[in-house]
Amino acid sequence: FRGSRPAQVIYTVRDPKDVLVSLFHFARIFRPYRDPGSLEEFMGKFLQGDGAGTFRGNLGPFPGDLG
């Protein structure tokens, strides 16, 4: 590696609406998940971080958070 350039990171994020619908349909067919209920009920749980985690939880700390 040349020089002392800082590392570069590419973080790919899916549209949350796509994640919601995809996870809802997966939860309906995958038996180990509990019954997701209606899409509206599932969305409420999804927005609270139940099922897919939170954005900050998946991303981790930002450089400004460290000090």
Side-chain angles (χ1 to χ4, degrees):
F1 301 105
R2 293 182 257 159
S4 59
R5 291 182 8 191
Q8 296 180 354
V9 177
I10 298 173
Y11 188 79
T12 304
V13 180
R14 283 177 69 190
D15 182 342
K17 293 180 282 187
D18 177 49
V19 174
L20 168 70
V21 173
S22 182
L23 188 59
F24 174 72
H25 287 294
F26 183 71
R28 290 179 61 209
I29 63 171
F30 191 59
R31 293 294 175 210
Y33 275 144
R34 62 186 179 277
D35 179 21
S38 70
L39 181 58
E40 290 79 18
E41 294 168 332
F42 190 77
M43 182 174 64
K45 294 174 191 172
F46 179 82
L47 292 174
Q48 293 174 2
D50 183 17
T54 63
F55 175 76
R56 292 293 294 236
N58 287 319
L59 185 60
F62 286 94
D65 294 342
L66 300 176

